[in-house]
Every structure is written in structure tokens, then in C-alpha cells.
Amino acid sequence: MRKLESDLYMARVTIIELTGPKFEKVLYPRADFNEPGAVYTWFRDAVEKVLELADVITVGNEKYSEERAICPLCRAEAQNFYKHGPGFTYPEGLRRHLHGTHRSAQCPVTEAAHELAISNRERQEQRGW
């Protein structure tokens, strides 16, 4: 069982490292989640930083235009018949993808980062930190 847990931990770390240095700094969870709700606060802030770093494009014409962004982590785009361009609407559509809310499939990279943070917090609790 410990071997599987170790392998899962390393897989999550690898996923985060594959995003490159710019995003790795944002997504690698810190080691000390001492306060209640600290993991949630960290994750929310990390998603907001990813949004700031996303490449945003404007699509449309003079009458109608919108900002959109392809997920900078997993390169996913919205799976919507009515979409008006590449990527997700920015910022809300991309935010939903990164969090996995509002029936959006969660970005596998932010999912790995969030799960890694949760496991770090659980390890701290087991050790009494």
C-alpha cells in the first residue's frame, strides 16, 4: 500500500513539473497547511494565478467579441456546441475548468495539484504537526 501511495505522490509531482517552471511555482503546494481551510485558500489563489498567466485572445467581430483562453496547463478547450472560438470563455469558463465546477471537467493538472495539497495536509495531521 505504501508503494502505491508513493507512486501516486510521484505521479502528481511529475504532472505539476511537466507544466514548466512558470506554472510549477504556482501549482506545487507548500508544505505547511496549518490553518483550517488553508488547502482551499491555497488552491483558490493558485487558480487565480493560473488565470493571470493564461494567454487571452479576443474573438468575434465589431458587434460581438469575447475573450477566450485555452487551458495553459492541459491545453483543453470547451466542449460546447455554441462556443464562439477556441478555448474557454475568459475568465469564468477557464476558472470553472480549473476548479471543475458547474459541470465542467476539471483540468487534470489542477486536480493533481489539489490532491497533492490534500495529501500533504493529511500527512501533517498524521504526524501531529
Side-chain angles (χ1 to χ4, degrees), residues 101-119:
T101 61
H102 296 84
R103 296 188 201 169
S104 293
Q106 185 173 14
C107 171
V109 179
T110 56
E111 181 180 16
H114 190 228
E115 291 297 325
L116 186 59
I118 291 169
S119 70

Side-chain angles (χ1 to χ4, degrees), residues 93-129:
L94 182 55
R95 181 180 287 116
R96 290 175 180 187
H97 168 67
L98 295 171
H99 278 286
T101 61
H102 296 84
R103 296 188 201 169
S104 293
Q106 185 173 14
C107 171
V109 179
T110 56
E111 181 180 16
H114 190 228
E115 291 297 325
L116 186 59
I118 291 169
S119 70
N120 284 354
R121 174 69 178 141
E122 289 171 351
R123 270 198 296 271
Q124 285 177 350
E125 289 174 353
Q126 289 172 353
R127 293 178 182 156
W129 293 355

Side-chain angles (χ1 to χ4, degrees), residues 69-98:
I70 293 172
C71 179
L73 304 174
C74 72
R75 311 303 299 160
E77 299 187 48
Q79 300 297 312
N80 184 337
F81 177 74
Y82 300 105
K83 73 179 183 175
H84 298 284
F88 297 92
T89 57
Y90 182 85
E92 194 55 34
L94 182 55
R95 181 180 287 116
R96 290 175 180 187
H97 168 67
L98 295 171

Side-chain angles (χ1 to χ4, degrees), residues 57-68 84-85 89-90:
I57 58 171
T58 302
V59 297
N61 54 42
E62 293 174 9
K63 292 183 180 183
Y64 174 80
S65 67
E66 69 177 348
E67 291 185 320
R68 300 189 69 84
H84 298 284
T89 57
Y90 182 85

